[in-house]
Amino acid sequence: MSDPVMLIEQANSRGTLYAVVEQDDRVAYFYLYPSELLSSKYSPRPCWLRNLQPAPEKKDVAAMKEGMAPMMERRFCNHPEGKEPLQKELITIVWMEEGDGAAMMYDGELLGVIPGWGLYSEEKAVAYAADCIGADDDDLIFPLGTPATNILHKRVTQAIDFWKGWVEETSQQWSILQDQFIQAYEAAFGKTQQYYAIDGGQWPPMALAKYEQDDIVYLITLGVSIRPMPWVEILYSERAPGFRRMELAMAISKKDYPEEEIMKMAEIMSGLADRPWKQITWLGEGHTVSATELPDPYDSLILSAALYTGPVINLPPMYGDAVNLYWLAPVTELERAYAHHKANAGYDLLEKMINSGITHLVKKREEVEI
């Protein structure tokens, strides 16, 4: 029995997950492995691809006991006598836009899919294989089926089209999106005063635009919403399109904060813009994040669209999804603790803030009575 040979290894855009295809002389598998930093939070996910030898009649328990990848049992694979080994030059990895799931193509055909939502629950850590024709209820590998029976075919096609749109040298996507967002922001806050790239030279292009109006500095991101956020699909299911894309904003009173502190807040925003993909998480209404660089007495930020009381901002849709514009409001240690004292208490804190007359405008204020 031969040791497994790695045919391909490819990281997602932030190096948080690695796609690997391996085979020995019995079986070929596709895996997603978390990075070392995330290995305590997420588990590796396997996807059987094909048997290279005659299939066993029953579950390959012996292989699992030996710490080896199990073969698919005969009744569940469409090639009971085995298939030829995979050739690495014919393998392509397609990452889902969120970066938490991937598909494996072989000579242009879809062989396996490890969906992103399987990352967040051991009970749902399933994968789908083209050569699988059946499964028991407790199995982790299921038939990929056809485009008519499994929406994952459509999801992979969408991902392929998405990436093609960004790698083509003639692509004008960013300049078009850039213009659309700037027009929406300028319609509300006047001419763009400054524009900062905040992507660090990595894809996707992201920026922070600065506006000034009536002694208020407005800082608003653009480009963050190009990627849908991880986690959202499993949390919101069919409603996910309404929650998976975001941009961030702050409105800061120049009467309360000098330019130096305003720019520190801009730096905090810049770092927060990439957080969902660097940490495989998501951000939404009522979420809080720590930010020790904030001026006293604040030590955290709460995200909210509900706090906003300014002019309407007509953000362009992103790949058919609505884009949420979350305003960042500083909160104290006590306020953040209240937001965490029970599930979804961030909404309760926002209600208290709104009832106390607090809006999206960042200025010096009294602590909310908890």
Side-chain angles (χ1 to χ4, degrees):
M1 185 180 299
S2 64
D3 292 330
V5 175
M6 185 170 66
L7 302 180
I8 189 172
E9 180 184 45
Q10 186 184 107
N12 65 9
S13 66
R14 290 302 181 265
T16 54
L17 293 172
Y18 291 82
V20 173
V21 177
E22 288 183 353
Q23 68 182 358
D24 54 24
D25 58 0
R26 306 170 302 110
V27 66
Y29 266 78
F30 169 40
Y31 299 94
L32 288 187
Y33 290 104
S35 67
E36 186 175 349
L37 287 175
L38 294 173
S39 60
S40 62
K41 186 176 181 181
Y42 299 116
S43 300
R45 289 175 290 162
C47 177
W48 170 89
L49 295 173
R50 61 173 54 170
N51 292 338
L52 309 182
Q53 293 184 6
E57 293 294 336
K58 297 182 179 180
K59 283 187 183 294
D60 196 1
V61 177
M64 290 187 280
K65 286 183 177 179
E66 293 293 325
M68 298 184 300
M71 298 174 70
M72 179 68 73
E73 59 190 287
R74 178 175 290 266
R75 63 186 174 128
F76 291 150
C77 69
N78 66 3
H79 52 281
E81 299 308 312
K83 277 189 170 183
E84 70 279 0
L86 299 174
Q87 302 176 51
K88 63 181 180 180
E89 60 271 15
L90 299 179
I91 297 173
T92 304
I93 302 298
V94 179
W95 286 98
M96 300 303 184
E97 298 100 304
E98 296 92 338
D100 57 358
M104 186 272 202
M105 309 286 292
Y106 189 68
D107 198 16
E109 298 294 325
L110 184 59
L111 277 199
V113 181
I114 304 176
W117 43 260
L119 181 64
Y120 312 113
S121 169
E122 292 296 331
E123 294 179 357
K124 296 183 179 181
V126 298
Y128 298 82
D131 286 331
C132 175
I133 57 173
D136 288 329
D137 290 342
D138 60 347
D139 285 341
L140 295 179
I141 310 297
F142 287 87
L144 181 58
T146 68
T149 62
N150 194 333
I151 196 173
L152 287 174
H153 285 272
K154 181 180 178 181
R155 289 292 310 277
V156 174
T157 299
Q158 289 175 338
I160 291 171
D161 292 341
F162 175 83
W163 294 116
K164 279 183 179 178
W166 288 101
V167 298
E168 293 176 358
E169 292 184 4
T170 57
S171 174
Q172 298 295 312
Q173 290 207 67
W174 175 232
S175 59
I176 293 170
L177 291 171
Q178 200 175 30
D179 288 344
Q180 290 175 337
F181 277 94
I182 291 295
Q183 287 175 19
Y185 297 157
E186 290 189 341
F189 304 117
K191 185 176 176 58
T192 304
Q193 300 296 311
Q194 288 177 291
Y195 180 95
Y196 310 94
I198 60 172
D199 50 46
Q202 292 183 298
W203 183 91
M206 295 188 295
L208 185 67
K210 181 181 178 183
Y211 303 86
E212 290 192 27
Q213 194 176 79
D214 300 327
D215 285 327
I216 301 172
V217 172
Y218 294 90
L219 302 168
I220 318 180
T221 65
L222 54 154
V224 179
S225 55
I226 289 171
R227 295 169 292 177
M229 289 183 283
W231 273 97
V232 177
E233 186 174 12
I234 193 171
L235 293 172
Y236 286 95
S237 204
E238 69 277 357
R239 296 190 298 136
F243 298 91
R244 63 189 176 197
R245 299 186 194 269
M246 67 158 187
E247 298 291 343
L248 300 173
M250 288 190 84
I252 307 161
S253 169
K254 293 178 67 176
K255 295 179 180 178
D256 292 79
Y257 298 103
E259 181 70 14
E260 181 181 356
E261 290 187 339
I262 291 174
M263 293 315 295
K264 281 185 180 180
M265 295 186 213
E267 290 176 8
I268 294 170
M269 284 185 67
S270 299
L272 190 57
D274 203 32
R275 180 173 177 154
W277 300 275
K278 278 188 174 180
Q279 298 186 13
I280 310 186
T281 186
W282 72 292
L283 295 171
E285 184 78 15
H287 287 197
T288 62
V289 291
S290 62
T292 56
E293 304 89 348
L294 288 168
D296 291 336
Y298 306 117
D299 77 339
S300 303
L301 294 163
I302 190 167
L303 284 73
S304 177
L307 286 175
Y308 182 63
T309 58
V312 173
I313 305 172
N314 295 310
L315 293 184
M318 188 68 72
Y319 294 98
D321 294 345
V323 177
N324 298 286
L325 183 58
Y326 294 121
W327 293 81
L328 303 176
V331 294
T332 66
E333 183 179 359
L334 177 63
E335 291 167 344
R336 189 186 189 206
Y338 179 77
H340 286 252
H341 83 281
K342 65 176 183 178
N344 298 318
Y347 291 110
D348 298 333
L349 174 59
L350 286 173
E351 184 177 1
K352 286 182 176 291
M353 292 172 70
I354 292 170
N355 290 339
S356 299
I358 298 169
T359 70
H360 65 290
L361 178 58
V362 178
K363 58 184 180 180
K364 294 179 179 178
R365 62 173 177 83
E366 296 296 321
E367 191 168 58
V368 172
E369 186 175 340
I370 302 300

